[in-house]
Amino acid sequence: MTGASRMRIGAVVLTMGNRPEELRALLDSVAKQHGDPIETVVVGNGSPLPELPEGVRTVELPENVGIPAGRNVGIEAFGPGGSDVDVLLFLDDDGLLAREDTAELCREAFAADPELGIISFRIADPDTGETQRRHVPRLRASDPMRSSRVTTFLGGANAVRTHVFEEVGGLPDDFFYAHEETDLAWRALDAGWQIDYRSDMVLFHPTTAPARHAVYHRMVARNRVWLARRNLPALLVPVYLGVWFLLTLARRPSRPALRAWLGGFKEGCVTPCGPRRPMKWATVWRLTRLGRPPVI
């Protein structure tokens, strides 16, 4: 058997239980993947789960613990750090794997590159095939069909080698929502792992706009500050936050949105952010060479 064929893959799906038809379609697309069957865990995040296909494992949480903490529960369902499998897929509950060979492509990619830790899939609208710029995890996002090394990944459409979790830990529970992927990505890159964006690994997902309510703006700002405080060398923390402060003002948000954002920014500055593990300056240079210096 080749290294790729021996690779065990699991899948984690987080759901609020309010998309039963979409969830069933996603699970069917996972079940149709070529190669060895993929063991799947569905985590109900504070809600009961609908009836699911036979063989799908379930975890029902009594309350909504947020996206990163919910996905961490899914990771641990595969043993400490997901160690019962070699790779974990993380898929949005209203997504759909567009091809039946995506799992095989993942196996081949991870087997061919021992330094590859994370793969970010391309998200495309099922009707138009369009990929939104915000779903291409790099600054130069005009060509979503170009695969490349990147510095972050998409939370609901990715594959992670479980050795990454064993080495650097899981997603930051307290973030609840926003920037948790970048936090994990920076820690993985600092440990020497690589991250790839693959345009040929596609998750169909309806085109949507992120919710622009007050909680969204508060969490985006708070977690941006936590991200910097946790991961950047001290010299870069004020630079990174200053750049994002100016960018936010330049985008001219509405008065309520700006008020919520400023409140979140202040909250991020004065509340505990979790363990601080500043990345090495060599990692800063590596991020810069990849096209995204950690000041933007």
Side-chain angles (χ1 to χ4, degrees), residues 11-19 23 26-27 40-47 49 59-61 63-75 89-95 155-156 171 176-177 180:
V12 174
V13 180
L14 187 65
T15 184
M16 299 288 289
N18 55 350
R19 298 167 176 156
L23 175 59
L26 169 66
L27 296 176
T40 303
V41 169
V42 176
V43 179
N45 204 0
S47 62
L49 292 171
V59 179
E60 290 189 358
L61 302 177
E63 61 180 350
N64 181 356
V65 297
I67 293 173
R71 287 185 174 140
N72 283 339
V73 169
I75 294 169
L89 308 180
F90 294 87
L91 305 169
D92 276 348
D93 65 344
D94 57 344
L171 297 156
F176 198 86
Y177 165 79
E180 66 270 11

Side-chain angles (χ1 to χ4, degrees), residues 21-33 53 96:
E21 293 182 7
E22 293 90 339
L23 175 59
R24 184 67 182 241
L26 169 66
L27 296 176
D28 287 346
S29 75
V30 173
K32 292 176 182 176
Q33 292 298 299
L96 183 76

Side-chain angles (χ1 to χ4, degrees), residues 144-282:
M145 300 307 294
R146 179 173 66 88
S147 299
S148 68
R149 294 281 199 209
V150 290
T151 62
T152 188
F153 63 98
L154 304 175
N158 67 79
V160 182
R161 194 191 296 266
T162 54
H163 284 321
V164 173
F165 299 125
E166 294 171 25
E167 184 171 355
V168 306
L171 297 156
D173 284 353
D174 292 341
F175 277 40
F176 198 86
Y177 165 79
H179 304 315
E180 66 270 11
E181 301 92 356
T182 301
D183 186 89
L184 175 61
W186 282 1
R187 286 182 280 128
L189 289 164
D190 196 48
W193 295 101
Q194 301 279 6
I195 304 172
D196 278 357
Y197 166 71
R198 287 282 297 264
S199 64
D200 58 335
M201 300 182 189
V202 181
L203 185 82
F204 281 149
H205 189 284
T207 298
T208 58
R212 299 298 185 186
H213 45 71
V215 173
Y216 167 86
H217 291 289
R218 180 179 68 84
M219 287 192 176
V220 162
R222 182 199 67 182
N223 292 358
R224 180 81 69 184
V225 179
W226 280 358
L227 178 69
R229 290 174 58 199
R230 285 163 58 93
N231 295 288
L232 291 181
L235 186 65
L236 291 185
V237 173
V239 179
Y240 179 85
L241 296 179
V243 168
W244 277 104
F245 193 94
L246 293 175
L247 281 173
T248 300
L249 295 180
R251 290 168 178 167
R252 303 183 66 162
S254 67
R255 188 179 296 272
L258 181 59
R259 187 182 303 115
W261 192 92
L262 291 172
F265 193 92
K266 178 181 178 181
E267 182 183 351
C269 291
V270 301
T271 54
C273 63
R276 173 166 164 74
R277 300 186 182 96
M279 66 178 65
K280 298 180 284 290
W281 282 102

